[in-house]
Amino acid sequence: MENRKEASQGPALLGVSGARLRPNFYDLAIFILIAGVFAAVAHGARGMVAPVAWLASDPVTLDPANLPDYALRTTLRMFAAIAASLVFTFVVATLAAKSRRAELVILPALDILQSVPVLGFLTFTVVFFIGLFPQSQLGAECAAIFAIFTSQAWNMAFSFYQSLRTVPGDLDEAVRHFRLSPWLRFWRLEVPFAAPGLIWNTMMSMSGGWFFVVASEAITVGDTTIKLPGIGSWLALAIAQQDVSAVLMAVGTMAAVILAYDQLLFRPIVAWADKFRFEQTAAQQRPRSWVYDLWRRARLIRRVSTLIGALSARIAAVAPRRAPMPQQVAPAGAGRRADFAWSAVVLIAVAWALWRIVMFTDQTLTLDDVAEAVGLGFLTLLRVAVLIALASLVWVPIGVWIGLRPGIATRVQPIAQFLAAFPANVLFPIAVVAIVTWKLDPDIWLSPLMILGTQWYILFN
């Protein structure tokens, strides 16, 4: 009897009655969704670690029956790159926001890296990753994921850095009053405050990854081309064979995939993170999500998640709090000497890099080659600057109009997300045919293709 009594009191000790632990219909629906996601991930991951010889025996084809599997493989690469981008963002952006000396190096580096084309990274990363896993597809998969990562991480890092630098002073004062440790401060204040902006930039970065998926899935090493199964490889093959119906099927599949993860993942996260939005007045219309509503109505899953959250909070509370320390002001001379030493180290590193560049250029290029490269680079810069200005004139007023109307923004966001994900190389053959037919100047009329991706960053932000 005593054992039976103790067993019956088990849920009560957790603060949950037995009736509240009984699953309902919403628990079943959530369980089916989670089980389906895990099954899809397991199926796609099994193919990603298969022997590399399978790529030769089972090449990419335009068989419509393969398109769902290709879409799954591409989606897994996208989310693997997003996960890596989040880790990179939390580490690098936080370091830049917390350390003035690290900021001196990190911000210019991020600005340069986000300007490097995806193909520029592939030239030296493919051999490295394939060398790590020579007999497995995992090497090529890592190279593709890294290429997608380079189209996502920089935007997310800049967003998180900006949020950390603009934490309101009253919230910072409250954290200091409670003497939270740096770890708790990061997860209790800084990440929640940055969450709304980071989530929107993550969605935009996801679309940016789709924009470069063709280049990331068709990898060339020397004379060998590795085509990983995916929508990007399908599109590359369809364009090469001039198969318009296959291109349309790929675009339709992309639309379905984007709509699926927008409804199943991003829209619930946006609805959940809205409570972290720092506003002086209450929003007239809150974002809604049927998946988030389903989760909130589930009985068992919500109780279990609440229990896990409570346990995590207790574990985090065990972390030592900062003891009140007397204010100590470091000598001004010591701080200036440290800043001077760090600046000297950075300048020496930059000078050494410039010297290596000059030596390499002197050995491999002539003066005419350098002048031609600089001149062409200036023309590219001029095109980019003009197109950015024109795109800003068009999309900034539209973005302001949409942003001031939350109801319209909710309906427009999935459409803009799909348009941002639309691969530009699908339009390249159409542009070439139009230029040749009407005898237009390619130096002018090919330039708008450069802005197809950037304009959506302007609209979203």
Side-chain angles (χ1 to χ4, degrees), residues 70 95 130 145 153 175 203 209 231 302 322-323 325 379 433-434:
Y70 291 171
L95 184 60
I130 291 180
I145 291 171
V175 168
M203 295 165 65
I231 293 183
R302 191 180 179 193
R322 293 184 298 182
M325 298 289 293
L379 289 177
V433 170

Side-chain angles (χ1 to χ4, degrees), residues 100-123:
R100 185 163 48 89
R101 294 164 189 163
E103 179 186 29
L104 182 65
V105 178
I106 291 175
L107 288 189
L110 290 178
D111 206 18
I112 294 172
L113 289 172
Q114 73 172 349
S115 303
V116 177
V118 173
L119 294 177
F121 291 104
L122 282 175
T123 55

Side-chain angles (χ1 to χ4, degrees), residues 168-186:
D170 52 349
L171 297 181
D172 183 72
E173 187 64 29
V175 168
R176 294 180 183 274
H177 174 75
F178 286 106
R179 302 196 306 274
L180 296 185
S181 65
W183 177 258
L184 287 178
R185 172 191 171 90
F186 182 74

Side-chain angles (χ1 to χ4, degrees), residues 351-376:
W352 178 83
L354 289 176
W355 176 76
R356 295 293 299 176
I357 292 173
V358 170
M359 294 299 295
F360 175 80
T361 303
D362 182 64
Q363 295 174 3
T364 57
L365 300 175
T366 64
L367 188 60
D368 292 337
D369 294 332
V370 174
E372 182 181 6
V374 172
L376 293 177

Side-chain angles (χ1 to χ4, degrees), residues 104-347:
L104 182 65
V105 178
I106 291 175
L107 288 189
L110 290 178
D111 206 18
I112 294 172
L113 289 172
Q114 73 172 349
S115 303
V116 177
V118 173
L119 294 177
F121 291 104
L122 282 175
T123 55
F124 63 88
T125 58
V126 171
V127 177
F128 170 75
F129 284 114
I130 291 180
L132 286 179
F133 309 97
Q135 303 300 324
S136 173
Q137 293 185 35
L138 192 57
E141 293 284 355
C142 289
I145 291 171
F146 183 81
I148 299 172
F149 163 85
T150 59
S151 65
Q152 298 173 340
W154 326 127
N155 174 54
M156 296 166 59
F158 274 118
S159 170
F160 194 66
Y161 163 81
Q162 181 65 23
S163 297
L164 294 184
R165 294 301 301 267
T166 56
V167 174
D170 52 349
L171 297 181
D172 183 72
E173 187 64 29
V175 168
R176 294 180 183 274
H177 174 75
F178 286 106
R179 302 196 306 274
L180 296 185
S181 65
W183 177 258
L184 287 178
R185 172 191 171 90
F186 182 74
W187 291 109
R188 296 282 181 86
L189 170 64
E190 294 169 344
V191 171
F193 177 77
L198 180 60
I199 290 170
W200 280 100
N201 278 277
T202 301
M203 295 165 65
M204 188 65 243
S205 296
M206 193 74 173
S207 297
W210 281 104
F211 198 80
F212 297 105
V213 72
V214 175
S216 64
E217 291 183 348
I219 300 172
T220 301
V221 183
D223 297 330
T224 304
T225 299
I226 301 175
K227 289 188 176 181
L228 296 170
I231 293 183
S233 298
W234 171 290
L235 272 172
L237 184 60
I239 292 172
Q241 296 183 3
Q242 300 180 0
D243 191 336
V244 178
S245 61
V247 171
L248 293 178
M249 281 191 289
V251 172
T253 303
M254 284 177 53
V257 170
I258 292 170
L259 179 63
Y261 68 65
D262 177 75
Q263 292 296 313
L264 297 177
L265 180 65
F266 283 129
R267 186 56 50 186
I269 293 177
V270 168
W272 168 78
D274 187 69
K275 60 186 177 182
F276 300 124
R277 189 176 299 279
F278 185 78
E279 295 177 337
Q280 299 297 331
T281 58
Q284 296 180 355
Q285 185 171 355
R286 297 290 185 182
R288 298 292 301 273
S289 165
W290 62 272
V291 175
Y292 185 59
D293 292 339
L294 201 67
W295 182 276
R296 296 179 64 186
R297 293 172 183 173
R299 183 182 298 157
L300 176 61
I301 292 180
R302 191 180 179 193
R303 292 294 174 182
V304 171
S305 61
T306 302
L307 176 61
I308 295 175
L311 291 176
S312 301
R314 291 197 175 190
I315 294 173
V318 176
R321 298 176 182 267
R322 293 184 298 182
M325 298 289 293
Q327 294 289 337
Q328 295 181 357
V329 180
R336 283 196 297 267
R337 286 193 295 270
D339 290 341
F340 177 79
W342 176 250
S343 300
V345 171
V346 172
L347 289 176

Side-chain angles (χ1 to χ4, degrees), residues 83-106:
S85 299
L86 283 173
V87 174
F88 175 87
T89 295
F90 286 150
V91 174
V92 175
T94 303
L95 184 60
K98 301 290 185 180
S99 172
R100 185 163 48 89
R101 294 164 189 163
E103 179 186 29
L104 182 65
V105 178
I106 291 175

Side-chain angles (χ1 to χ4, degrees), residues 430-447 449:
I430 301 174
V432 171
V433 170
I435 290 172
V436 172
T437 302
W438 294 325
K439 299 180 180 179
L440 303 174
D441 187 355
D443 290 338
I444 297 176
W445 293 101
L446 284 178
S447 298
L449 297 176

